[in-house]
Amino acid sequence: LKTYLECYPCFFRQAVEASRLTGLDDKSTRQILIEIGKTLENFPLDANPPEMAVTIHRLVKEKAGISDPYRRQKQESTEMALKILPDIRKNLSMADDPLLMAVQFSVAGNIIDFGVKKADTFEEDITKLIHMEERIIEEEEDRFFQYDAFRESLENAREIIYLGDNAGETVFDRLLIDEIHTRNPDVNIIYAVRGTPIINDAVMEDAHQAGLQSSAQLISSGTDGPGTLLDRCSEAFLEKFYNADMIISKGQGNYESLSGTSYPIFFLLIAKCPVVANHVGCRKGDFLLLDNKTQK
Amino acid sequence: LKTYLECYPCFFRQAVEASRLTGLDDKSTRQILIEIGKTLENFPLDANPPEMAVTIHRLVKEKAGISDPYRRQKQESTEMALKILPDIRKNLSMADDPLLMAVQFSVAGNIIDFGVKKADTFEEDITKLIHMEERIIEEEEDRFFQYDAFRESLENAREIIYLGDNAGETVFDRLLIDEIHTRNPDVNIIYAVRGTPIINDAVMEDAHQAGLQSSAQLISSGTDGPGTLLDRCSEAFLEKFYNADMIISKGQGNYESLSGTSYPIFFLLIAKCPVVANHVGCRKGDFLLLDNKTQK
């Protein structure tokens, strides 16, 4: 996904919110905004938005002298998600199609995101999530929720790369991974986290807190951006990525950095911003399961 | 009102929207955003937001080679407001307190604003406005709607400067001016418009279309910003401004540029953005009638 003009205001909004979160004062935050203003020139429209996010959050982290400003928020997100995990497992055990429900919960888990939305709505989001079951269960197979293709691809997969997104969401990813293993015990699933803390995206520590090590092999993508920026990933990760039969990509950041490629990806995300919704052709807030093969 | 950090994203949003409206392509718009990025450094936090708007809209106008990009929108706004004028006059003629109702309609008319909101909601806004009568009539005297002080000030006024804001809103201003003249035929009212087209703010031509010349003496403030930036106003205007017994200031732009001064101003506006609402201490969307004497 290229950068749309509508992304520019959002860059500055993210910078202001991240600065406030780290406790930076107005003077320092203004300096960051000025720096971002100066870098716009070096940022072409065909770059994708997570690349700009790298610059924004690097500036905030440097200025604040904090390497992981969202650490506490990430820990809380994971704790809260773990707390509701037993309830969700119970729902899954009674579902007609547990895989479908696990997919839907995994997409719903993508609601936890401090990059797109303000950071103070987490509790509200989680409450929504718990009550969302009925709504998401009604989602039907259509061009924005290509579940049949996803299920079919899973049946033939031997090695899956699962690209994680936000901390907390990781717990719901674990559920989906367990469900995939139940159906296909031989498949090897590699769960990739970011290499460097960026916004509330999960790094290795966050994946461990979610217990993912007991469900999948964990790897760092090596990237410092809130997405899978292939030219910023480690060679070790890229080798796995290029050789996977199937790639499950969570969230907008991974979608923004990988849409338009030809890898065997299924994108699971909530279309959180108008730019992504317009690009996909769906409504903002839609739950998406997109087979990359069928995408423009 | 100083510039808050939250204003920065809004600067870029305004630039994108104004560029699109003038039909500029992505490449030219990106150039404008880059230019704005570079000027952030010269724009201190104690400047007020309309000053930045001057830069933004100057860049758009220059790039597009159009001196008044919102001209058609302004004409349509005024036409639509004129169309509902007879209905509103009928309501006024039956009101218990016609002055109060005229004030409320004048504030409600401030809903017409292409600076704060997207430009495509005008019809919806006007429809809301027509159905708003009951709601606004329920507004009670409180610290955000200081009607008693306003009425009292009017009784003693000999010369009033009325600072206009947006085209279309002008029609509702005319109603209020007529109502003031009904109560106090001797008062001289001078209606000020912007000196240069900026967003959809009314210039002389727009005031004429609204018929204001039959209700008030018209004057250009001489400013090129979407507010009353005193250091950018003409001397002729400033002489009137400084000598007025009472100043009626419409809209956010005038509020942003004049709040914090000690002139005998009543601010009539809708608090359209979270920054202004926070500054005033009210909720976003509130109808305000603020006596400058009582403001911080």
Side-chain angles (χ1 to χ4, degrees):
Chain A
L1 182 94
K2 73 182 190 87
T3 296
Y4 287 77
L5 296 167
E6 281 73 12
C7 299
Y8 284 77
C10 196
F11 294 151
F12 288 87
R13 184 190 55 72
Q14 281 190 49
V16 172
E17 284 182 15
S19 299
R20 291 227 192 274
L21 187 85
T22 56
L24 282 169
D25 63 14
D26 283 8
K27 202 181 145 202
S28 301
T29 305
R30 177 171 171 266
Q31 276 308 320
I32 290 171
L33 300 174
I34 289 170
E35 285 301 314
I36 295 169
K38 286 181 188 164
T39 66
L40 294 180
E41 193 156 23
N42 309 319
F43 189 72
L45 284 177
D46 59 8
N48 61 61
E51 293 181 58
M52 189 66 188
V54 174
T55 303
I56 293 169
H57 292 279
R58 183 177 45 72
L59 282 166
V60 173
K61 286 185 278 191
E62 279 173 11
K63 204 82 170 176
I66 302 172
S67 65
D68 191 358
Y70 290 80
R71 192 171 181 201
R72 194 176 56 79
Q73 278 80 356
K74 290 193 293 179
Q75 289 173 341
E76 286 177 7
S77 300
T78 306
E79 267 170 41
M80 293 186 74
L82 285 171
K83 211 183 289 173
I84 61 170
L85 184 61
D87 279 347
I88 298 185
R89 283 212 194 273
K90 209 197 294 177
N91 281 323
L92 273 179
S93 69
M94 299 183 298
D96 289 338
D97 185 345
L99 178 67
L100 173 60
M101 193 187 266
V103 168
Q104 290 167 324
F105 272 118
S106 164
V107 176
N110 187 235
I111 209 166
I112 303 161
D113 185 344
F114 295 98
V116 180
K117 314 206 308 158
K118 284 211 177 161
D120 54 7
T121 60
F122 179 76
E123 283 206 46
E124 196 187 311
D125 288 346
I126 283 289
T127 311
K128 260 193 228 153
L129 193 58
I130 297 169
H131 296 288
M132 199 168 267
E133 185 208 343
E134 280 177 53
R135 180 193 144 194
I136 61 179
I137 275 305
E138 286 165 16
E139 297 269 346
E140 287 179 24
E141 173 75 13
D142 64 21
R143 69 193 178 98
F144 300 129
F145 206 84
Q146 300 173 297
Y147 173 62
D148 290 344
F150 177 79
R151 195 181 48 203
E152 204 169 297
S153 178
L154 276 183
E155 277 163 20
N156 303 313
R158 287 288 142 259
E159 184 146 301
I160 297 173
I161 291 270
Y162 195 119
L163 306 172
D165 189 18
N166 304 306
E169 181 177 347
T170 45
V171 173
F172 303 94
D173 295 336
R174 190 178 138 199
L175 271 180
L176 174 55
I177 290 171
D178 290 347
E179 192 54 44
I180 294 171
H181 273 134
T182 304
R183 297 169 61 97
N184 184 350
D186 296 332
V187 68
N188 186 36
I189 303 182
I190 301 166
Y191 189 87
V193 294
R194 312 287 185 231
T196 313
I198 176 96
I199 324 178
N200 69 324
D201 289 23
V203 294
M204 197 56 84
E205 174 189 347
D206 304 304
H208 276 276
Q209 193 193 342
L212 269 159
Q213 68 281 6
S214 60
S215 302
Q217 182 185 338
L218 299 182
I219 190 174
S220 158
S221 71
T223 188
D224 54 355
T228 302
L229 303 162
L230 294 177
D231 57 355
R232 305 172 85 103
C233 288
S234 69
E235 289 205 18
F237 168 78
L238 289 175
E239 203 194 314
K240 306 256 182 217
F241 181 88
Y242 293 134
N243 288 322
D245 316 298
M246 181 177 181
I247 298 159
I248 298 176
S249 162
K250 287 296 303 288
Q252 264 198 194
N254 288 323
Y255 175 78
E256 288 171 32
S257 43
L258 293 171
S259 79
T261 65
S262 55
Y263 304 109
I265 309 174
F266 284 84
F267 294 107
L268 280 68
L269 68 151
I270 300 176
K272 288 176 202 166
C273 81
V275 166
V276 165
N278 283 340
H279 184 80
V280 172
C282 67
R283 291 158 308 172
K284 194 181 146 197
D286 276 354
F287 281 41
L288 304 176
L289 169 52
L290 303 173
D291 180 355
N292 195 30
K293 273 209 306 287
T294 67
Q295 301 299 301
K296 57 192 165 188
Chain B
L1 184 93
K2 73 181 191 91
T3 296
Y4 286 77
L5 296 167
E6 282 70 13
C7 299
Y8 284 77
C10 197
F11 294 151
F12 288 87
R13 183 190 56 70
Q14 282 190 49
V16 172
E17 285 181 16
S19 299
R20 291 226 191 277
L21 187 87
T22 56
L24 282 170
D25 63 14
D26 283 7
K27 203 181 144 201
S28 301
T29 305
R30 177 171 171 268
Q31 276 308 320
I32 290 171
L33 299 175
I34 289 170
E35 285 301 314
I36 295 170
K38 286 180 186 165
T39 64
L40 294 181
E41 195 157 21
N42 310 320
F43 188 72
L45 283 177
D46 59 8
N48 62 59
E51 292 180 57
M52 189 68 188
V54 175
T55 303
I56 294 169
H57 293 278
R58 183 178 44 73
L59 282 166
V60 172
K61 287 185 276 190
E62 278 173 12
K63 204 83 170 176
I66 301 172
S67 65
D68 190 359
Y70 290 81
R71 192 172 182 199
R72 194 176 55 79
Q73 278 81 355
K74 290 192 294 181
Q75 288 173 341
E76 286 176 10
S77 300
T78 306
E79 266 170 40
M80 294 186 72
L82 285 171
K83 210 183 289 173
I84 59 172
L85 185 62
D87 278 347
I88 297 183
R89 282 212 195 273
K90 208 196 295 175
N91 281 321
L92 274 180
S93 69
M94 298 183 299
D96 289 337
D97 185 344
L99 177 68
L100 173 61
M101 193 187 264
V103 167
Q104 289 167 325
F105 271 117
S106 165
V107 176
N110 187 236
I111 210 166
I112 304 161
D113 186 343
F114 295 98
V116 181
K117 315 205 310 160
K118 282 208 178 162
D120 54 6
T121 59
F122 179 74
E123 284 206 43
E124 197 187 310
D125 288 346
I126 283 289
T127 311
K128 261 193 227 152
L129 192 59
I130 297 169
H131 295 289
M132 200 168 265
E133 185 208 342
E134 281 179 49
R135 183 193 142 196
I136 60 177
I137 275 304
E138 286 165 14
E139 297 268 346
E140 287 180 23
E141 174 75 12
D142 63 21
R143 68 192 177 98
F144 300 128
F145 206 83
Q146 301 172 297
Y147 173 62
D148 289 344
F150 178 79
R151 195 182 46 202
E152 204 168 298
S153 178
L154 277 183
E155 276 164 21
N156 303 313
R158 287 289 144 258
E159 183 146 300
I160 297 174
I161 289 271
Y162 194 120
L163 306 172
D165 188 19
N166 303 305
E169 182 177 346
T170 44
V171 173
F172 303 96
D173 295 336
R174 191 179 137 198
L175 272 180
L176 175 55
I177 290 170
D178 289 347
E179 192 53 43
I180 294 172
H181 273 135
T182 305
R183 296 170 63 95
N184 183 351
D186 296 331
V187 67
N188 185 37
I189 303 182
I190 302 167
Y191 190 87
V193 295
R194 312 290 185 228
T196 314
I198 176 94
I199 325 176
N200 69 324
D201 289 24
V203 293
M204 197 56 82
E205 174 188 347
D206 304 304
H208 276 278
Q209 192 192 345
L212 268 158
Q213 68 281 8
S214 60
S215 301
Q217 181 185 340
L218 299 182
I219 190 175
S220 157
S221 72
T223 188
D224 54 354
T228 302
L229 303 162
L230 293 177
D231 56 355
R232 304 171 86 102
C233 288
S234 68
E235 288 204 22
F237 167 79
L238 289 176
E239 202 194 315
K240 305 255 182 221
F241 181 87
Y242 293 134
N243 289 323
D245 317 298
M246 181 179 182
I247 299 161
I248 298 176
S249 161
K250 288 294 305 287
Q252 266 199 193
N254 288 325
Y255 175 78
E256 289 172 30
S257 44
L258 293 172
S259 78
T261 65
S262 55
Y263 303 108
I265 309 176
F266 284 85
F267 294 108
L268 280 67
L269 68 152
I270 300 177
K272 287 176 200 166
C273 81
V275 166
V276 166
N278 282 340
H279 184 80
V280 172
C282 65
R283 291 158 309 172
K284 195 181 145 195
D286 277 354
F287 281 39
L288 304 176
L289 168 52
L290 303 173
D291 180 355
N292 195 31
K293 272 208 308 285
T294 68
Q295 301 299 302
K296 55 192 168 191

